[in-house]
Amino acid sequence: MENTRDLTEHTPRSERKRRDSFGMFDGYDSCSEDTSSSSSSEESEEEVASMPASLPIIKNNGQVYTYPDGKAGMATCEMCGMVGVRDAFYSKTKRFCSVSCSRSYSSNSKKASILARLQGKPPTKKAKVLQKQPLVAKLAAYAQYQASQQNQAKLKLGFNWGHYISSNNSVGAPVTCFKHVPMSSCWGDVAEGVRVEVPNTDSNLPTKVYWIAGIVKLAGFKALLRYEGFDNDTSHDFWCNLCVPEVHPVGWCATSGKPLVPPKSIQNKYTNWKAFLVKRLTGAKTLPPDFSTKVQESLQYPFKALMRVEVVDKTHLCRTRVAILETVIGGRLRLVYEESEDGTDDFWCHMYSPLIHPIGWSRSIGHRFKRSDVSKKQEGQIDASPELFMKVKEVDQNGEWFKDGMKLEAIDPLNLSAICVATVRKVLADGYLMIGIDGSEAADGSDWFCYHSTSPSIFPVGFCEINKIELTPPRGYTKLPFKWFDYLREVGSIAAPVKLFNKEVPNHGFRKGMKVEAVDLMEPRLVCVATVTRIVHRLLRIHFDGWEDEYDQWVDCESPDLYPAGWCQLTGYQLQPPAAQTSSRDNPTSVSKQQKKKSQQYKGHKKKRKMPVGKKPVSLSSLPMTGMLRRSFSGDEELTPPPYRTLPAQTAPEAFQPPSTSREFCPSLKTASSLQIKEELLDGDEFTFLQGVSDQESNGSGSYYIKQEP
């Protein structure tokens, strides 16, 4: 066999000739010590070449001296602090770097110049030498710069999901649970045991080489990989995002002319690596050959910058405003309100959020709307097409329907950890309702919130009691524990009929304890590390890791504000890591065990959340709960907008299914491509997501009121 040193001497053309059908190099089994030594020597030469040609220089008396290694032969000027070569300094004592420094020192100008600098006065001509920055200070500044660069590099790498999941023995929610994320409908074929080709980090070769690895564990887009040949040895296991460009299906190296080289730690384990791969990969599964192409296609979004939409006014929940789309990141939109002069008055939401609508939506259903003072559109601005927005289910309002004053239970939009006693305050067109939280709403309805009748955030009377969820009674209500029968009799109202609510429960696939990336809806620009702590039908209780339970949020299982682990890395969105944690926060099971029982009390008034650097959600501590002032997302208190203008009900437009990320931009991939070994197509088992019944609360519509265990 040829010596491995030839590996670096052959031209790329000869390399391709020496690779077999797997892309492997012939004779790599006999890799010698010379190879490692030569490669290491080459690496050292590269490192030396990358260093500066010379160290910082010092100018003294018109001469240039190179900073020598160490402190030997150096001196510091007692006047200006300049560090330089001792032999170049002035006088026999070598106390000063120049004649001017010696004379300035003797004339006592040093004290005067320092005093002038402290007083902010411009230095004199003689004192200008004080402006020279000592080399020691320069070196210290350079060291500080290097430290800052390292910190920025760590921040760029982002949160280490792999270490977090492994250290806590956690489980990440699978990608198939999130219909709105890239590759969702294509992910059924990605499973444990699938083989991929990834860069070989356990190699001394000077060129980038690859090796085959198998998926050991999946957590969202993240996968724990193990190089082929390590068997049960976990010492070299590593986490990787499967959607990054460095991950390829098996066979990519052979077709692309890339070297396939086993790790050096096990290079002597087998004498014939080709036979080993043939045996291990026969009948195995790999990614489809167009996997990376599908990833890129699924990262394209229909919303574009400068599109105009209607979005909820974060300072007046009861109305909408026109906003301009400024940025799209992973389907999340940064919207700037049209009247914002400096562009800082913004709002973040997903493109499938129920909070955004096409221009004219408010007028069509009779929703309150704030007219903009902007007289005309700016150049390049266009109204977003109605086809781009998520469509709601059409409902029939002609028969038995919601009426003003009916009671129900609803998630408080300003305190998403609480389900509160609520009232239908106004019935709009197309199935929309204006909901008010009892005991905390303004008298003129300025803090009412719009929910669709099919929204998973509103529930019939008794939902919390049956499913053992704490219901927040109206603020100031003293007859505790709260009983719906007594309350309805006291206020002279009736409960909304149960049949009018959405009782569909999809087989979402979520399980208690799964890790996700979730939007903090009280500060929707932030995406945080979170855990599913409870499941009630289609309702999920989301806990932000490292934070108290009072900041938990109830969200729907199909909420566009939930993402699998690795979504932020894939889309380039910044992920907020957990806050300072205790052992009880690491384990969601221990959280539930140690959670203190809370007395039944009003929860609408949110406490201020102390935030670390980079995470400052809106403070809700100052929000008014009663009177003429209304609650808002921003916490600001402003004058109440004008009352509603009632419009006649209009027929809902023809239902249109919006372009789902997983459906339109990522057509379903076929079953995982089987490896072709010895020119035979070897069929294997299909890896598809089993839509089984949830073991906790995935009940059908007929069992909507089945009691759930907490």
Side-chain angles (χ1 to χ4, degrees), residues 3 28 47 70 78 84 106 144 159-160 177 191 218 224 238 272 281 347 360 418 427 465 531 553 599 629 674:
N3 190 284
Y28 183 81
E47 293 176 359
E78 295 183 12
S106 61
Q144 185 178 5
F159 176 69
N160 191 340
C177 293
L218 282 171
L224 181 62
F238 61 98
N272 190 339
L281 300 180
F347 187 80
V427 179
E465 180 182 1
T531 305
Q553 296 180 356
S599 59
L629 296 177
S674 301

Side-chain angles (χ1 to χ4, degrees), residues 358-534:
I359 298 295
W361 173 84
S362 298
R363 180 183 179 86
S364 66
I365 70 165
H367 193 280
R368 197 179 301 183
F369 174 76
K370 179 185 178 183
R371 294 186 177 276
S372 174
D373 294 336
V374 180
S375 58
K376 61 179 181 180
K377 301 178 185 177
Q378 297 181 4
E379 183 179 357
Q381 294 182 358
I382 59 173
D383 295 346
S385 174
E387 286 75 17
L388 301 181
F389 298 85
M390 178 64 70
K391 298 300 180 182
V392 295
K393 183 179 179 181
E394 290 189 6
V395 295
D396 183 10
Q397 298 182 217
N398 295 325
E400 186 177 7
W401 191 243
F402 291 95
K403 293 182 175 59
D404 295 357
M406 283 185 172
K407 298 294 181 180
L408 69 163
E409 299 174 2
I411 297 177
D412 186 348
L414 292 178
N415 184 4
L416 296 167
S417 65
I419 299 179
C420 307
V421 175
T423 304
V424 177
R425 293 302 181 185
K426 189 174 182 64
V427 179
L428 306 179
D430 296 347
Y432 287 96
L433 310 170
M434 296 304 297
I435 305 295
I437 303 298
D438 286 18
S440 64
E441 55 185 317
D444 59 352
S446 58
D447 59 354
W448 296 347
F449 195 77
C450 184
Y451 280 123
H452 194 265
S453 59
T454 60
S455 171
S457 297
I458 59 175
F459 316 95
V461 166
F463 173 84
C464 287
E465 180 182 1
I466 291 176
N467 292 284
K468 297 183 179 179
I469 300 175
E470 186 176 359
L471 176 66
T472 301
R475 188 182 187 189
Y477 190 77
T478 57
K479 295 183 179 180
L480 302 178
F482 178 83
K483 297 294 182 182
W484 265 114
F485 180 80
D486 297 337
Y487 182 71
L488 291 174
R489 183 176 56 185
E490 292 174 9
V491 298
S493 182
I494 60 173
V498 176
K499 65 180 181 179
L500 300 181
F501 293 85
N502 179 15
K503 297 181 287 295
E504 297 179 1
V505 182
N507 292 327
H508 44 71
F510 286 100
R511 299 291 183 270
K512 183 179 179 181
M514 282 184 171
K515 297 292 182 180
V516 296
E517 297 178 0
V519 175
D520 182 355
L521 293 173
M522 301 313 299
E523 181 63 22
R525 65 182 177 87
L526 302 178
V527 178
C528 314
V529 175
T531 305
V532 178
T533 56
R534 191 179 177 191

Side-chain angles (χ1 to χ4, degrees), residues 601-617:
Q601 56 185 354
Y602 180 77
K603 287 187 178 180
H605 196 179
K606 194 93 169 192
K607 294 182 180 179
K608 187 175 182 180
R609 184 174 182 175
K610 296 181 179 180
M611 300 303 303
V613 177
K615 187 174 175 66
K616 287 182 64 179

